[in-house]
Amino acid sequence: MNTDLLIKNAQIVSEDGIVEGSLAVTGETIAAVLRKDDNVNAKKVIDAGGMLILPGAIDTHPHFFEPGPTYREDFLHGTRAAASGGFTTILDMPNTAPPVRDEETFGIKYKAASENSLIDFALWGSAMPTNISKINRLHELGCIAFKAFTLDAGPDFDFSGDFAQIEAMRAVKEFNGIYGAHAENGDIVKNSTALYRDKPWNLDTHEKARPYYAELSAINSLLLYAKITGCRLHICHMSIPEGAELIKIARENGVDVTVETCPHYLLLNKESAGKAGTFAMINPPLRSKERMEKMWDYVKDGTIDYIGTDHAPYTVPDKLPEDGDLWKANAGAPSIDIAVPALFEEAVINRKMPLNKFSALISTNAAKRFGLYPKKGRIAPGVDADFMILDADDPWVYTRAESFSKTKVTRFAYEGRRVACKVRATYLRGQAVFTDGKIMQEPGYGRFLRSEKLKNGL
Ligand SMILES: [Zn+2]
């Protein structure tokens, strides 16, 4: 066998199980997963020294703020950071400025991402009450799924009341697409926030202002509307174990729903991240340690399908408003470069999650749901050679100062966190995009992805 690249002496987390051996890559695709490589003639050989090879991670939920406030993050920096953290595909969120709401705004986003993204990218479209008639066109253009907010999302994005949620689901159902939502009940959040607004802001009062039942109520309604409309539903960034219980019941009742959680709901909680103050202000909020621990049960039993980082870096003025009113701070935090290794440590090393389940959590499940499978999301002959080499025993200390991300602010909750394992290299379509601390490809190496399933009209 002649091949371009042979990575020897690796533990390969392939779709058929863990293989101790070699990965052969020809051009952009995986040529073979081999236990023995005696007959392979490779142009380049790398010894992985027993390290792991996992499928390239897929982030279902980053915010790169482009077009818009790119001083916080953009495709160039955001996807470099993503590659350094083992991601090979991102599904960029549509609530930019302007949001991806029609053909013109899709074009702006598409151009920015095509010119700058280092890794493969898909684009979410918006599902706002003001653009329901444009959803079908956005689908034709290739939007991978459609995002709504069930509560006030600021001036650039129109939130959806219950009726608009149903109407938009009907529009998405027309082509059997996916409707995703930020799930928090706006009425509960507004009124509960009013009760705490005069108290000092901290992670506890923030969480009480946006209590778990605000999220649970919105998830409950969305599941009901998905049942009524038959639309495929994606619950974004779920932070509460109670939501997982509801989703289990809904699945038994025939609702086609998947759910993402974020690294911060598994790695941080309102007690542990208190020192970071508004730099750990995220919505839905960080919950209690007890809820965080329970979230792991649903990750391990597979109720939670995948990980979206909700990566959203902010600057110091964004987080510390000039007038000192912390309730006005922007919610969101960066995590795209620490998510995979930190989750690997917690899931695989500390909680004994099997490697194939971890691989499904960070890659395969999202690829399947969003129609990127079988080319993405797995290690098998004939598929895109998207993978990471991960050293399970290479401790390091995270600092934003060394991140490829645009905002280098070092006050976020992960700052100084010791992580037991490290992403040593990330390969996308057969080429290294990141190796040993360096970015290896030019901006624009990433390609636009659309759902294979929907493309074929299935
Ligand atoms: Zn988000």
Side-chain angles (χ1 to χ4, degrees), residues 61 63 93 95 147 149 182 237 283 310:
H61 196 133
H63 296 269
M93 276 289 151
N95 50 321
K147 165 91 180 275
F149 280 79
H182 177 125
H237 46 48
N283 292 329
D310 206 3

Side-chain angles (χ1 to χ4, degrees), residues 59-118:
D59 188 355
T60 53
H61 196 133
H63 296 269
F64 292 135
F65 298 113
E66 186 168 6
T70 49
Y71 63 87
R72 294 172 181 153
E73 191 66 291
D74 56 23
F75 278 107
L76 180 70
H77 293 83
T79 58
R80 283 178 177 168
S84 75
F87 287 96
T88 51
T89 294
I90 43 144
L91 279 53
D92 183 64
M93 276 289 151
N95 50 321
T96 33
V100 179
R101 63 182 169 220
D102 55 17
E103 184 155 358
E104 187 193 349
T105 47
F106 173 87
I108 296 169
K109 172 73 72 85
Y110 177 85
K111 184 172 187 287
S114 302
E115 288 173 359
N116 297 301
S117 187
L118 179 71

Side-chain angles (χ1 to χ4, degrees), residues 62-230:
H63 296 269
F64 292 135
F65 298 113
E66 186 168 6
T70 49
Y71 63 87
R72 294 172 181 153
E73 191 66 291
D74 56 23
F75 278 107
L76 180 70
H77 293 83
T79 58
R80 283 178 177 168
S84 75
F87 287 96
T88 51
T89 294
I90 43 144
L91 279 53
D92 183 64
M93 276 289 151
N95 50 321
T96 33
V100 179
R101 63 182 169 220
D102 55 17
E103 184 155 358
E104 187 193 349
T105 47
F106 173 87
I108 296 169
K109 172 73 72 85
Y110 177 85
K111 184 172 187 287
S114 302
E115 288 173 359
N116 297 301
S117 187
L118 179 71
I119 59 176
D120 286 355
F121 62 95
L123 301 177
W124 281 77
S126 307
M128 302 186 283
T130 44
N131 83 323
I132 291 174
S133 65
K134 306 284 179 10
I135 285 177
N136 191 57
R137 181 66 192 132
L138 286 170
H139 158 64
E140 288 170 359
L141 291 163
C143 284
I144 197 99
F146 293 85
K147 165 91 180 275
F149 280 79
T150 61
L151 80 174
D152 190 354
D156 294 317
F157 203 94
D158 305 317
F159 80 97
S160 300
D162 295 72
F163 192 72
Q165 291 167 36
I166 295 167
E167 289 289 282
M169 281 192 201
R170 290 207 164 109
V172 173
K173 167 69 182 166
E174 287 286 306
F175 49 86
N176 204 23
I178 296 170
Y179 179 92
H182 177 125
E184 283 184 287
N185 178 307
D187 186 58
I188 296 174
V189 167
K190 189 171 138 212
N191 287 291
S192 192
T193 300
L195 293 177
Y196 288 92
R197 187 68 180 77
D198 294 333
K199 298 190 177 10
W201 186 94
N202 57 47
L203 288 186
D204 189 49
T205 48
H206 177 63
E207 203 260 342
K208 289 192 166 103
R210 306 174 78 107
Y212 80 94
Y213 50 86
E215 188 174 351
L216 194 59
S217 165
I219 292 172
N220 196 30
S221 305
L222 287 160
L223 291 169
L224 173 65
Y225 307 150
K227 174 80 177 163
I228 291 167
T229 60

